[in-house]
C-alpha cells in the first residue's frame, strides 16, 4: 500500500511539473502585453516601460518560471497584475464560490446517479430502467449552460422563485448563498449525472452478472441484501474513477455556468484574467485547476485501492 | 375575495413600513468590476465609477453638466500668459486615515503622477507642468512650460485626484482619500462597500450612510437585481434591449443620457484603400446610423458625424456632412477604382455593442459591394496588441470613452495612422488657447474637419442607460466624466 | 430408482432457451434422483445442459432461460412452486453449491470469514460472534492451514485450491441435504484437484450429504461417482451405477466419449535414434518482474536453465502444473518472449543470437499452435488469408500462397472453400485445424503446440491429436508439446519433460517415465491423475 | 454471414441514425438552400416570434432563425468533424504505437495525456483561442487537442488487449513487422471501438463547440453558430424566449442522435456479443 502511494506520488509530482511547464510555455507565447492592457489606450511609452519593470516582465523566462514555482512552494502565488493584490486572496475568495458549486454539483450528481443507476440495473429492462435510459440520453445531450438559461427562464423570469444570477456572498447568510448556488449546481450536475447514471448502471449490470453474486444467491442471501453487500461495493470501484475524471468537467463546466449565472467564481476569474492578460492570475488558476484534477485523480487511485483489496496488497 | 384583499392590505402595510424611516443605504449596480481602486495608476473606467468624487477628490471637479467647479481648491487664479496657476485650498479637510490635507499632499500627488516611474494613465495632463510650489499649507502654485487650454478640466478627472503620501502605495486595495465616503470592504467579483465619512468637510451635503457597488456583468441578472430590489440603481445598464421595460415601469426612473463614449469604426488610414478619402467617405455613406443604433443598441444612443461628445458645450451636429446614401457610396467606390467590389476586414472586440455593430456594418457594406469580414478580437488583450500597438488591421470598432479626446486624431503613431497637418495645428492652437469661447470655436472647426475627412466611421455616442428607483434623487443622467457621483444622492419620502 | 426416498428428485424436467439460441431446449424431459449420501455425476460435453440442471435446482437460471415443465423435489418439497423468500430459505440451508471458477466465485472486496458468516446471516442463524467462530471451524474442517489468517484474508490472497475449499466450507456451513458441485475442479491443477475431490468425498461420508456432481471429465467421474448420468444436447442418454457405465457403456455416445479419453498407457515408441536433432535448447533462462521503479521484489523465475533437444519427427512433451513455466519456455523458444539467457539452435541456425530484425526471415522454421481456438485467429480476416499470410510475409506470391492455403485446409480436414469464410463460422475443433494449417503453411521444422487441445471436448481432442500425429509422420516435424494433461502427454509424446517452478525435474522416454517415475514430484503428479483405479 | 455484416439493428441505432441523418442532411441542404439569406439583416423585423416572421421567428437583427439554425448545423459539423478526426488520427497513432512498443514510449505518451486531461477543456480552448486568434481554427484545434488523449487512451487500451491475443503472437511468429501487425491485425479489431468513440466524441465536440461559441470563441460572426445564438439570446430571454429554446433543442437533438448512434453501433459491433449464443453450458 505504501509503495503504491509513493509510486503514485512520484507520478503526481512529475505530472504537476509537466503541467506547470506547459502552462508557463503557453503563456509565454500568448500575444498581448499585460502592461499595455493595464494602461489602456492613453498610455505612453515611458509609462509602459515603468510598468513592465514593476511587473518583472523584463526578466528572462527561466528566471520567472523558477521564481513562480519557488513562490508557489512557499505559498506565495504572486500579486495579480490587474487587481494589485495577492492572488492567493483573490483565489480564496473565488474558491468560496466555485468549490461549493462544484461540490454541490458532485453531490447532486452522485445522489441522483447512484440510486438511479443501481435501480435501473437491478430491474433490467423494467420501467425504471427505461426511464433512466431516457434521462441519461437526454441529460448527456443537453449543454449545461443551456440548462442554466432555461432555468433562469423558468424559475427566475417566469416563476420568480430564484434569483436570476449573482451571488450574495456567504456573509449574507448560509441559505441565501446556497440558494444562489442551487440552480447553477443543478445545471452543472445534470449532464454529469446522466453520464454517471449510465456508468453506474453498466457497472452494476456487470457485477450482477458476476460469479460471486451467484454464489451469494446460492447461499440464500436475498436480492436486496445481495445488491447491498455484494453488488454495490464492487460496482462502486469503476464509478469512483469516473467521478474523478468528471471533476475536470465540473471545473470546465463551471466557467460556462458561472458566466450564465453571473457567479463570481474561479472560472469567471480565469476567463477575465485571460482577457486582461493577467498572466500571474492565469498561470496560478490554470495550475490550481489542473492541480486539483491531478490530486483528485491521485486520491481516486488511492481510494480505488482502499475499495479494492486486490490493489491494496499489490505493488 | 375580501379575505385576499385583507391579506394583500396587510402585506402592503408591512412592506411599506420600513420605507417611512428615511432610507440611508444605497446599492449601485455596475456591469464591470474595477480591477483596483486607485484611479491614478490604472486606466479602467470602472475604477473612476467607484472612486471618483466618492472616495477621492481633486482640486476641482467636473459637475453633471460637464462644467469645472471648485472642490479641494476653493478658488484659483490663472496668470494672463496662461502659465501660472495659483490654487487656494479648502481648510479643515482630512484624509480618511485622519491625516490633514494640505498643499504638500497636492505636490506629492502630482509629482507622483508625473514621475517617470508612474503608471498614471493620463500622464499628458501633467506633462506641461514645469514646477509645483507650496508657499504655504493652503496654497499651491503650479507653473507650466507652455499654456494648456484644458488644464483645469483635466485636473477634474480621476487621474488627478489628491492622494496622501502615507497611503498612496496601498490605495489600489485599500483606498484612502478625502471624499464623502470611506472604504469599508471589497468582495472581489461581487461588491465594494463604502460608508459615510463622519469627518467629511462638507458633511451636510451627504445623506447616505452606506453605499454598495455591486458588479453584475450579465444583463439579465442586472435587470433581475433591479426588479428584485437587490440593486437600487443601475446608472449604466448593460442591456439596451431590456431598457424599454423600465421606461414603462412607474417604480423606476429610466433615463437615456450620453456618455463620453464615441463609438467609431476606426480605419487604418495609412493602408490601401483607406488612404483614399473617397473610399472612407463611401463607407461612411453606406452606413445607416439610425438602423445601426436600432440593431446594436435597441435605438438608444445619439448618431454622431464627428468625434465629440454631445455633453460638451462645444458640440456641433455633423451627421449631415456625410449622410446615409448607398448610391453615392457606390459611385465614390467606383470613382476610387473599386467598382467591382472591395474586400476588407474588421477586427471587432467581444463587447456586445461592438460585435453587433460589426455584424450590422458588414451587412450594410455588403449592400454597396463591399465584403467586410469580421475577425473577433478580444478586448483588451488581443485588440491592444494587434490593433492599437501593431496597427495590423483594416477596420476596427471601439468606443473611445475618455472625455475630450478629439486630439487622438492629432497624435502621431496613434492606431488610426491618420496624418492631417491642418488638424494637428488646430489641436496645438486649442492647447494654447485659454479663452473658453475661442477654444470652443476651434473645437467646432476641428469637428468639421474630421466629419469631412472621415478618418474613422463615426457611428454613435454610447448612451448612458440609467435606471434607478423612482424614489431616488441626485444621480447623474449624463456622464461628462466617467463617474457615479453619489455625494448628493438621497431617498425621497 | 436407487433409494425409495431420494433427496433430490427431478422428473420430466424441460428447460427452454431464449429465442436466439441454437436449440429450443437446454434440457428435455430429464428425470434424475439422488439418494441420501449418494454422489451422482452428471457428465457431458459443453452445451449438453448439465449446468442448467444444477442452476434450475437452486432456482438461479440465467435471464431468459426458464423451466417449461416437469418438477424438482427436494425431500418431497416442490421447489418449482416456491416464491422468492422460499427459494432464499432453501438455498444455502438445504442445498449448498460450489461453482467452477474459484477466481471469480468469491466477492473480491469481502473478507473470507465474512463471506462464510454471511451464510448464517442470510438465514438469521447464530450471533455475529458465533458466526465468526463457526467460520473458523469450517475453514479448519476443509483442511485449510492457518484458519485465523485465511479468515481475515481477501479471496485474491488465496490460491485457486484454497478458494475452492472456502467455497466448500461455505456450501456445507448449514449441513445441507444436497451439495451441488458444478465442475468444481475443472480450473484446478491436477494435484489440487485430487485433494479437493477427496475433501468432497470425505465430507459426504461424514455428513451424509447427497452430492450432485457436474463434470465433463470421465477421470473425475471414475474417481468420485456412485452413479452416473450422461447428457447429450439436453437429453439423458444413459444412467446407471458408475461401475457399470464406465466399464459397460450401453449408449453409443457414452462409448464414444469413453473411447476418446486418452489412456495413460503410451503407444509403442518410434525408432528415432538416427534422426538429426532439429531443435536444441541449452540453459534457457527467463526471469519475470523487477521492471519499473517500485515494483521490485516480485520476481518469478519462469525458466531456470532449461535444456532439451528434439529430433526430427520426435515429440517432446513439456508437462507441469500452472505456473511451472512451461508456456514461458514455449514462447521463449519462438522468441515471442525474449529469454534472459541460454541458447536456441534450429537445425544449426543460432536462433537465439539473431536480433529481432534479422530473425524475421528465419521465423518460418519454427511455428506455434495455440491453446485458445477463439483468440488465436484474427476475426477480421478470411481463413484463407490467415493461412496465406505467413508465406506472403516471407515474400511468396499472394495467389500462390492462397492456392497453398486451400491445399492445406484439405490436408487438415476442412473443405477448401473454408478459405473464403471467417473464423467465427467454425467450431473450436475446426479452428484448431485452421491454426495448424497456418503453422504448416510456413513449412516449419519445429512446431510448438501450447496446450493445443486443452480447450476442446474429449471427442474433438482425440481427433486433433490424431491429426497432429499424422502430420508429424508425413512432414517429419519436431514437436514441442506443452500440456498439463498427463493422459494427453502419454498418448502423443515420445519423451516427456516434467517442469516444476521453472526447472525440468525429470525427462525420460514416455513409457519409462510413466512406469518408473524417478522424481518425487513426477510421482505426485501421476498419483493425482483422476480415475486411475477405474480406468487406465 | 460475414463478420462485417453482422450488425444487428437496434432501436438506438435506428433513432440515432435517423437523427444524425437529419442533422447531416440539414447541414448539406443549408449549403444550397435556406428559407432566407441567413446573414440578411432586417432591423424592422427584429425579435419576431415563431410564425410571425418565418417558421421560428427572427433574432435581434431580424434574421430568420430557421435559416440561422440550418447554417449553424453545417458550421457545427464543419468544426466537430475535422476536430474529432484530427484528434482521432493523432490519438490512435499514439495509442497503437504505445501499445505496440510499450516501455518508455508508452509511459511518456500516457503522462502527456494525463497533462492534457488535467486541463479543463474550456480553459485550454480559451488559451488556444488567445494563441491563434478566436475563430474556427482555434475551435478545431482546441477540440482536437482534447480528443488526442481520449483516442490515445481508448486505442491503447483496446490495442493492448488485442496484443495479448494469440493471433498477434501467431503473426509475430510468422515474422511480421510490428507496424504491419498494428495495421493488419490490430487496427481492424479496434476499429469498432474507435468508430463508437468517434460518434461519442462528435457529440461531445458539438457540445464543446456550442460552449466555445457561447463564450465567443467559435465560428466568426456573421456566420451563424448555435452557441452564439444562445449567447445572443440570453439578453433577450424575457422578450424572445424562443431564441434561447430553438438552438438549444437543435444542439440537444444532434448530440442525442450521435450518442444514440454510438450506443447502437457499440451494441451492434460488440465483439463480446458476437458468435456467442445463449447455448447451455
Amino acid at each position: 500500500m505504501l509503495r503504491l502511494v509513493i509510486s503514485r506520488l512520484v507520478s503526481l509530482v512529475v505530472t504537476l511539473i509537466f503541467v506547470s511547464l506547459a502552462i508557463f510555455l503557453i503563456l509565454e507565447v500568448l500575444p498581448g502585453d499585460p502592461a499595455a492592457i493595464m494602461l489602456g489606450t492613453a498610455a505612453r511609452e515611458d509609462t509602459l516601460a515603468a510598468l513592465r519593470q514593476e511587473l518583472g516582465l523584463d526578466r528572462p523566462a527561466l528566471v520567472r518560471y523558477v521564481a513562480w514555482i519557488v513562490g508557489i512552494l512557499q505559498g506565495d502565488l504572486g500579486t495579480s497584475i490587474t487587481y494589485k493584490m495577492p492572488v492567493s486572496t483573490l483565489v480564496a475568495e473565488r474558491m468560496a464560490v466555485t468549490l461549493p458549486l462544484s461540490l454541490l454539483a458532485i453531490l447532486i450528481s452522485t445522489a441522483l446517479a447512484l440510486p438511479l443507476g443501481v435501480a435501473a440495473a437491478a430491474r433490467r429492462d423494467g420501467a425504471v430502467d427505461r426511464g433512466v435510459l431516457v434521462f441519461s440520453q437526454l441529460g448527456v445531450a443537453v449543454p449545461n449552460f443551456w440548462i442554466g438559461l432555461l432555468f433562469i427562464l423558468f424559475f427566475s423570469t417566469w416563476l420568480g422563485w430564484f434569483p436570476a444570477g449573482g451571488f450574495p456572498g456567504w456573509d449574507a447568510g448560509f441559505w441565501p448563498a446556497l440558494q444562489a448556488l442551487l440552480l447553477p449546481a443543478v445545471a452543472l450536475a445534470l449532464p454529469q449525472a446522466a453520464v454517471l447514471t449510465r456508468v453506474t448502471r453498466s457497472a452494476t449490470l456487470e457485477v450482477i452478472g458476476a460469479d460471486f453474486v451467484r454464489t451469494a444467491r446460492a447461499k440464500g442471501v436475498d436480492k436486496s441484501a445481495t445488491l447491498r453487500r455484494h453488488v454495490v461495493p464492487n460496482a462502486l470501484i469503476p464509478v469512483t474513477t469516473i467521478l474523478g475524471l468528471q471533476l475536470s468537467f465540473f471545473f470546465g463546466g463551471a466557467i460556462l455556468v458561472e458566466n450564465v449565472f453571473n457567479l463570481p467564481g474561479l472560472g469567471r476569474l480565469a476567463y477575465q484574467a485571460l482577457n486582461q492578460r493577467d498572466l500571474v492570475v492565469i498561470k496560478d488558476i490554470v495550475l490550481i485547476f489542473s492541480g486539483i484534477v491531478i490530486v483528485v485523480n491521485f486520491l481516486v487511485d488511492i481510494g480505488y485501492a482502499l475499495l479494492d483489496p486486490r490493489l491494496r496488497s499489490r505493488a | 375575495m375580501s379575505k385576499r384583499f385583507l391579506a394583500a392590505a396587510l402585506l402592503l402595510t408591512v412592506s411599506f413600513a420600513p420605507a417611512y424611516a428615511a432610507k440611508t443605504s444605497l446599492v449601485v449596480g455596475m456591469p464591470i468590476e474595477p480591477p483596483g481602486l486607485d484611479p491614478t495608476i490604472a486606466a479602467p473606467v470602472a475604477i473612476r465609477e467607484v472612486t471618483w468624487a466618492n472616495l477621492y477628490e481633486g482640486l476641482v471637479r467636473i459637475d453633471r453638466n460637464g462644467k469645472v467647479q471648485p472642490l479641494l481648491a476653493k478658488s484659483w487664479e490663472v496668470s494672463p500668459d496662461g502659465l501660472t496657476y495659483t490654487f487656494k485650498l479648502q481648510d479643515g479637510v482630512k484624509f480618511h486615515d485622519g491625516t490633514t490635507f494640505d498643499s504638500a499632499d497636492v505636490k506629492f500627488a502630482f509629482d507622483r503622477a508625473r514621475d517617470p516611474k508612474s503608471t498614471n494613465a493620463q500622464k499628458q495632463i501633467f506633462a506641461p507642468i514645469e514646477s509645483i510650489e507650496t508657499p504655504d499649507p493652503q496654497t499651491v502654485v503650479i507653473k507650466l512650460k507652455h499654456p494648456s487650454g484644458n488644464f483645469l478640466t483635466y485636473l477634474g478627472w480621476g487621474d488627478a485626484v489628491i492622494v496622501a503620501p502615507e497611503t498612496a502605495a496601498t490605495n489600489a486595495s485599500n483606498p484612502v482619500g478625502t471624499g464623502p465616503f470611506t472604504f469599508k470592504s471589497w468582495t472581489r467579483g461581487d461588491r465594494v462597500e463604502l460608508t459615510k465619512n463622519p469627518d467629511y468637510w462638507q458633511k451636510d451635503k451627504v445623506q447616505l450612510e452606506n453605499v454598495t457597488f455591486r458588479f453584475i456583468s450579465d444583463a439579465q441578472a442586472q435587470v433581475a437585481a433591479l426588479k428584485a430590489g437587490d440593486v437600487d440603481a443601475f446608472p449604466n445598464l448593460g442591456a439596451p434591449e431590456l431598457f424599454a421595460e423600465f421606461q414603462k415601469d412607474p417604480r423606476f426612473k429610466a433615463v437615456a443620457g450620453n456618455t463620453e463614449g464615441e463609438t467609431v469604426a476606426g480605419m487604418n488610414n495609412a493602408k490601401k484603400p483607406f488612404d483614399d478619402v473617397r473610399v472612407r467617405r463611401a463607407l461612411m455613406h453606406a452606413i445607416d446610423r439610425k438602423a445601426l443604433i436600432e440593431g446594436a443598441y435597441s435605438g438608444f444612443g445619439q448618431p454622431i458625424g464627428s468625434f465629440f461628445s454631445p455633453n460638451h458645450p462645444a458640440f456641433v451636429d455633423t451627421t449631415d456632412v456625410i449622410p446615409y446614401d448607398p448610391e453615392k457610396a457606390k459611385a465614390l467606390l467606383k470613382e476610387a477604382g473599386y467598382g467591382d467590389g472591395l474586400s476588407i476586414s474588421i477586427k471587432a472586440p467581444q463587447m456586445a455593442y461592438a460585435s453587433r455593430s460589426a455584424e450590422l456594418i458588414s451587412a450594410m457594406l455588403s449592400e454597396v459591394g463591399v465584403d467586410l469580414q469580421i475577425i473577433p478580437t478580444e478586448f483588451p488583450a488581443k485588440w491592444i496588441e494587434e490593433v492599437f500597438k501593431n496597427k495590423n488591421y483594416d477596420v476596427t470598432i471601439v468606443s473611445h470613452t475618455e472625455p475630450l479626446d478629439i486630439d487622438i486624431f492629432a497624435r502621431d503613431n496613434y492606431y488610426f495612422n491618420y496624418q492631417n497637418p491642418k488638424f494637428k495645428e488646430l489641436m496645438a492652437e486649442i492647447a494654447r488657447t485659454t479663452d473658453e469661447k475661442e477654444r470652443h470655436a476651434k473645437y467646432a472647426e476641428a469637428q468639421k474637419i474630421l466629419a469631412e475627412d472621415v478618418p474613422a466611421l463615426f457611428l454613435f455616442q454610447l448612451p448612458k442607460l440609467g435606471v434607478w428607483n423612482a424614489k431616488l434623487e441626485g444621480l447623474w443622467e449624463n456622464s461628462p466624466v466617467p463617474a457615479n457621483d453619489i455625494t448628493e444622492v438621497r431617498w425621497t419620502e | 430408482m436407487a433409494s425409495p426416498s431420494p433427496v433430490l428428485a427431478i422428473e420430466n424436467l424441460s428447460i427452454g432457451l431464449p429465442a436466439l439460441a441454437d436449440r429450443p431446449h437446454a434440457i428435455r424431459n430429464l428425470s434424475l434422483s439422488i439418494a441420501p449420501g449418494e454422489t451422482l455425476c452428471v457428465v457431458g460435453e459443453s452445451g449438453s445442459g448439465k449446468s442448467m440442471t444444477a442452476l434450475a435446482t437452486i432456482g438461479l437460471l440465467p435471464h431468459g432461460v426458464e423451466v417449461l415443465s416437469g418438477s424438482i423435489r427436494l425431500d418431497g418439497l416442490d421447489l418449482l412452486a416456491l416464491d422468492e423468500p422460499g427459494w432464499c430459505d432453501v438455498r444455502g440451508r438445504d442445498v449448498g453449491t460450489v461453482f467452477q471458477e474459484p477466481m471469480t466465485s468469491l466477492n473480491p472486496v469481502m473478507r473470507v470469514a465474512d463471506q462464510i458468516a454471511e451464510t448464517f446471516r442470510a438465514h438469521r442463524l447464530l450471533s455475529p460472534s458465533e458466526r465468526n467462530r463457526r467460520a473458523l471451524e469450517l475453514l479448519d474442517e476443509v483442511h485449510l492451514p492457518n484458519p485465523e489468517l485465511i479468515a481475515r484474508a481477501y479471496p485474491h490472497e488465496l490460491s485457486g485450491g484454497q478458494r475452492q475449499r472456502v467455497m466448500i466450507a461455505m456450501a456445507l456451513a448449514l449441513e445441507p441435504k444436497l451439495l451441488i458441485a458444478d465442475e468444481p475442479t475443472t480450473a484446478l491443477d491436477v494435484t489440487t484437484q485430487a485433494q479437493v475431490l477427496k475433501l468432497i468425498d470425505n465430507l459426504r461420508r461424514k455428513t451424509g450429504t447427497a452430492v450432485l456432481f457436474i463434470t465433463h471429465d470421465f477421470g473425475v467421474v471414475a474417481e468420485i461417482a456412485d452413479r452416473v448420468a450422461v447428457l447429450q444436447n439436453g437429453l439423458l442418454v444413459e444412467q446407471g451405477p458408475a461401475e457399470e457405465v464406465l466399464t459397460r457403456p450401453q449408449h453409443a455416445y457414452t462409448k464414444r466419449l469413453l473411447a476418446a479419453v486418452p489412456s495413460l498407457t503410451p503407444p509403442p515408441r518410434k525408432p528415432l535414434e538416427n534422426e538429426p536433432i532439429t531443435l536444441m535448447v541449452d540453459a534457457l533462462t527467463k526471469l519475470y518482474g523487477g521492471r519499473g521503479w517500485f515494483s521490485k521484489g516480485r520476481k518469478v523465475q519462469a525458466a531456470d536453465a532449461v535444456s532439451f533437444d528434439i529430433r526430427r519427427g520426435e515429440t517432446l512433451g513439456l508437462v507441469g502444473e500452472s505456473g511451472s513455466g512451461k508456456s514461458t519456455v514455449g514462447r521463449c523458444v519462438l522468441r515471442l518472449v525474449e529469454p534472459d539467457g541460454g541458447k536456441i539452435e534450429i537445425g544449426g541456425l543460432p536462433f537465439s543470437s539473431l536480433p529481432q530484425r534479422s530473425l524475421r526471415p528465419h521465423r518460418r522454421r519454427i511455428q506455434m499452435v495455440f491453446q485458445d481456438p477463439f483468440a488465436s485467429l484474427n476475426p477480421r480476416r478470411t481463413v484463407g488469408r490467415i493461412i496465406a499470410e505467413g508465406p506472403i510475409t516471407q515474400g511468396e506470391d499472394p495467389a500462390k500462397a492462397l492456392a497453398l492455403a486451400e491445399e492445406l485446409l484439405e490436408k487438415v480436414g476442412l473443405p477448401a472453400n473454408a478459405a473464403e469464410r471467417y473464423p467465427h463460422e467454425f467450431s473450436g475443433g475446426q479452428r484448431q485445424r485452421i491454426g495448424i494449417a497456418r503453422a504448416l503453411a510456413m513449412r516449419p521444422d519445429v512446431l510448438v503446440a501450447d496446450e493445443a487441445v486443452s480447450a476442446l471436448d474429449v471427442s474433438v481432442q482425440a481427433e486433433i491429436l490424431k491429426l497432429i500425429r499424422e502430420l508429424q509422420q508425413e512432414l517429419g516435424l519436431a514437436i514441442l508439446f506443452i500440456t498439463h494433461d498427463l493422459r494427453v502427454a502419454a498418448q502423443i509424446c515420445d519423451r516427456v519433460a516434467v517442469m516444476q517452478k521453472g526447472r525440468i525435474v525429470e525427462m525420460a522416454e514416455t513409457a519409462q517415465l510413466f512406469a518408473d517415475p524417478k522424481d518425487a514430484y513426477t510421482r505426485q503428479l501421476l498419483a493425482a491423475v483422476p480415475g486411475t483405479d477405474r480406468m487406465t | 454471414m460475414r463478420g462485417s455484416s453482422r450488425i444487428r439493428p437496434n432501436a438506438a441505432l435506428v433513432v440515432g441514425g435517423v437523427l444524425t441523418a437529419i442533422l447531416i442532411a440539414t447541414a448539406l441542404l443549408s449549403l444550397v438552400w435556406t428559407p432566407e439569406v441567413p446573414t440578411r439583416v432586417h432591423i424592422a423585423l427584429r425579435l419576431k416570434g415563431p410564425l410571425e416572421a418565418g417558421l421560428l421567428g427572427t433574432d435581434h437583427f431580424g434574421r430568420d432563425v430557421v435559416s440561422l439554425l440550418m447554417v449553424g448545423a453545417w458550421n457545427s459539423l464543419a468544426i466537430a468533424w475535422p476536430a474529432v478526426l484530427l484528434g482521432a488520427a493523432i490519438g490512435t497513432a499514439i495509442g497503437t504505437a504505445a501499445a505496440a512498443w510499450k516501455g518508455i514510449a508508452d509511459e511518456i505518451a500516457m503522462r502527456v495525456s494525463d497533462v492534457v486531461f488535467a486541463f479543463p477543456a474550456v480553459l485550454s480552448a480559451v488559451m488556444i483561442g488567445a494563441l491563434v486568434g478566436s475563430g474556427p481554427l482555434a475551435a478545431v484545434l482546441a477540440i482536437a487537442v482534447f480528443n488526442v488523449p481520449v483516442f490515445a487512451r481508448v486505442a491503447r487500451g483496446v490495442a493492448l488487449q488485442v496484443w495479448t491475443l494469440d493471433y498477434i503472437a501467431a503473426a509475430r511468429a510468422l515474422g511480421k513487422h510490428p507496424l504491419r501487425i498494428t495495421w493488419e491485425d490490430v487496427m481492424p479489431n479496434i476499429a469498432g471501438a474507435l468508430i463508437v468513440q468517434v460518434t461519442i466524441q462528435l457529440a461531445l465536440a458539438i457540445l464543446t463547440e456550442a460552449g466555445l461559441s457561447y463564450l465567443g470563441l467559435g465560428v466568426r460572426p456573421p456566420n451563424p453558430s448555435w452557441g452564439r445564438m444562445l449567447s445572443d439570446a440570453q439578453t433577450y430571454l424575457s422578450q424572445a424566449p424562443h431564441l434561447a429554446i430553438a438552438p438549444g433543442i437543435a444542439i440537444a437533438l444532434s448530440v442525442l442522435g450521435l450518442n444514440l448512434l454510438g450506443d447502437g453501433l457499440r451494441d451492434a459491433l460488440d465483439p463480446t456479443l458476437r458468435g456467442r449464443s445463449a447455448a447451455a453450458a
Side-chain angles (χ1 to χ4, degrees), chain B residues 171-358:
Chain B
N171 272 351
S173 53
N174 185 21
V176 172
T178 59
F181 294 92
T182 63
F183 173 74
K184 186 175 154 203
S185 69
W186 182 6
T187 311
R188 263 85 184 173
D190 188 42
R191 64 182 69 201
V192 168
E193 289 179 274
L194 312 181
T195 46
K196 188 175 178 176
N197 176 4
D199 302 321
Y200 186 53
W201 57 281
Q202 32 183 4
K203 212 176 347 194
D204 302 344
K205 280 190 172 174
V206 184
Q207 301 282 320
L208 296 171
E209 295 286 342
N210 295 298
V211 178
T212 304
F213 288 94
R214 280 198 56 191
F215 313 114
I216 304 174
S217 66
D218 179 71
Q220 285 293 334
Q222 293 169 2
V223 171
L226 273 167
K227 286 189 173 163
D230 295 343
V231 166
D232 301 313
F234 230 105
N236 206 347
L237 194 72
E241 53 276 7
L242 302 170
F243 184 68
E245 296 183 37
F246 290 104
Q247 288 180 312
K248 287 176 244 152
D249 192 330
R251 290 177 298 160
F252 296 97
K253 190 155 193 246
V255 187
N258 274 318
T259 65
E260 291 296 298
E262 294 86 15
T263 308
V264 302
M267 289 174 283
N268 198 340
N269 284 260
K271 193 176 169 185
K272 257 186 183 317
F274 309 105
D275 56 346
D276 186 337
V277 71
R278 287 170 300 186
V279 173
R280 304 201 297 264
R281 282 182 186 155
L283 298 183
M284 192 72 255
H285 274 304
I287 288 169
D288 180 354
R289 294 187 185 92
K290 274 256 148 49
L292 183 81
I293 293 169
E294 185 68 34
Y297 233 95
S298 296
F300 302 104
Q302 187 171 339
I304 52 171
S306 184
F307 198 79
F308 213 71
S309 165
N311 290 337
H312 197 278
F315 172 79
V316 279
D317 188 351
T318 46
T319 44
D320 285 341
V321 177
I322 302 183
Y324 175 54
D325 187 346
E327 290 314 311
K328 190 101 181 266
K330 281 186 209 162
L332 277 169
L333 281 170
K334 199 168 178 189
E335 201 184 314
Y338 298 102
D340 303 332
L342 174 60
S343 195
I344 50 179
S345 69
I346 181 165
K347 290 202 167 166
Q350 74 279 18
M351 291 85 79
Y353 78 84
S355 56
R356 284 181 189 168
S357 296

Side-chain angles (χ1 to χ4, degrees), chain C residues 317-352:
Chain C
L318 206 53
V319 302
E321 295 185 293
S322 55
S324 62
K326 53 190 195 303
S327 278
T328 303
V329 170
R331 294 200 173 219
C332 279
V333 169
L334 268 100
R335 288 192 60 196
L336 292 174
V337 169
E338 283 297 335
D340 295 333
K343 232 168 43 185
I344 304 163
E345 272 183 31
I346 298 173
L349 178 80
F351 199 73
S352 56

Side-chain angles (χ1 to χ4, degrees), chain B residues 392-447:
Chain B
N392 174 20
Y393 76 105
D394 291 346
V395 183
T396 186
I397 177 167
V398 280
S399 255
H400 287 253
T401 51
E402 274 132 19
L404 213 56
D405 52 355
I406 189 171
D407 65 304
I408 56 174
F409 288 95
R411 287 188 204 162
D412 287 326
N413 217 16
Y414 204 72
Y415 78 95
F416 302 120
N417 277 332
Y418 176 61
Q419 290 293 344
N420 184 340
K422 200 174 132 204
F423 185 78
K424 230 174 189 169
E425 177 49 34
L426 193 58
M427 283 296 121
E429 276 175 38
I430 289 173
R432 288 194 295 270
T433 311
T434 40
D435 180 72
E436 195 174 47
K437 223 176 183 165
E438 208 179 314
R439 209 166 60 233
H440 286 183
K442 287 186 168 143
Y443 269 134
E445 196 186 328
Q447 290 174 54

Side-chain angles (χ1 to χ4, degrees), chain C residues 383-385 387-388 391 396 399-420 433-434 436-438 440-441 443 467 471 474-475:
Chain C
V383 166
R385 185 68 219 214
I387 297 170
E396 179 70 87
K400 263 192 197 160
L402 277 170
L404 175 78
E406 288 180 15
E407 247 173 68
L408 278 167
L409 279 171
E410 281 180 12
K411 185 172 255 171
V412 297
L414 290 171
N417 69 10
E420 284 140 43
R433 289 170 193 268
I434 296 168
I436 291 169
R438 169 175 59 193
L440 293 183
R443 302 178 209 283
L467 174 68
L471 289 169
E474 187 186 334
L475 304 168

Side-chain angles (χ1 to χ4, degrees), chain C residues 194-441:
Chain C
Q195 293 161 8
V196 170
L197 288 179
K198 205 163 160 200
L199 175 70
I200 293 177
D201 210 38
N202 287 343
L203 290 172
R204 172 185 65 95
R205 278 175 221 284
K206 214 169 94 184
T207 57
T209 306
V211 178
L212 175 63
F213 198 105
I214 287 160
T215 183
H216 68 280
D217 187 339
F218 270 101
V220 172
V221 175
E223 194 75 32
I224 199 167
D226 294 325
R227 284 193 309 121
V228 181
V230 183
L231 285 186
Q232 184 192 18
N233 291 334
L235 286 171
L236 181 72
V237 296
E238 183 162 1
Q239 176 173 209
E243 202 62 44
E244 225 160 277
V245 174
L246 288 173
T247 52
R248 292 180 296 279
Q250 298 301 307
H251 193 272
Y253 179 69
T254 319
K255 283 180 191 163
R256 213 166 71 226
L257 281 184
L258 277 166
V261 176
S263 161
L264 267 177
T265 317
R269 58 180 293 260
K270 299 176 275 188
L272 289 163
E273 291 78 9
N274 299 325
E275 296 290 343
I277 289 178
T278 310
L279 175 68
M280 197 275 288
V281 173
D282 185 30
L284 185 79
T285 304
K286 176 70 190 178
L287 186 72
Y288 275 122
R291 249 188 52 194
W293 297 338
F294 296 94
S295 49
K296 290 172 214 132
R298 293 224 156 197
K299 288 182 188 167
V300 178
Q301 189 76 48
D304 188 358
V306 170
S307 304
F308 56 83
D309 42 43
I310 310 178
R311 290 173 188 274
R312 195 182 125 83
E314 184 186 31
T315 302
L316 174 70
L318 206 53
V319 302
E321 295 185 293
S322 55
S324 62
K326 53 190 195 303
S327 278
T328 303
V329 170
R331 294 200 173 219
C332 279
V333 169
L334 268 100
R335 288 192 60 196
L336 292 174
V337 169
E338 283 297 335
D340 295 333
K343 232 168 43 185
I344 304 163
E345 272 183 31
I346 298 173
L349 178 80
F351 199 73
S352 56
S353 54
L354 291 171
Q356 281 287 352
R357 197 177 300 268
S358 32
L359 180 67
R360 272 179 213 129
H362 299 292
R363 279 204 173 274
R364 59 152 282 273
R365 307 189 64 162
I366 179 162
Q367 288 296 308
M368 191 160 183
V369 179
F370 298 87
Q371 168 175 8
D372 186 346
F374 291 84
S376 59
L377 302 176
N378 184 343
R380 302 273 167 183
R381 316 203 96 189
T382 60
V383 166
R385 185 68 219 214
I386 287 172
I387 297 170
E389 187 167 63
I392 293 173
T393 304
Q394 300 288 351
E396 179 70 87
D397 172 61
K400 263 192 197 160
L402 277 170
L404 175 78
E406 288 180 15
E407 247 173 68
L408 278 167
L409 279 171
E410 281 180 12
K411 185 172 255 171
V412 297
L414 290 171
N417 69 10
E420 284 140 43
R421 298 196 281 164
Y422 285 87
H424 71 261
E425 297 168 59
F426 297 90
S427 72
Q430 289 172 317
R431 290 189 212 198
Q432 274 322 57
R433 289 170 193 268
I434 296 168
I436 291 169
R438 169 175 59 193
L440 293 183

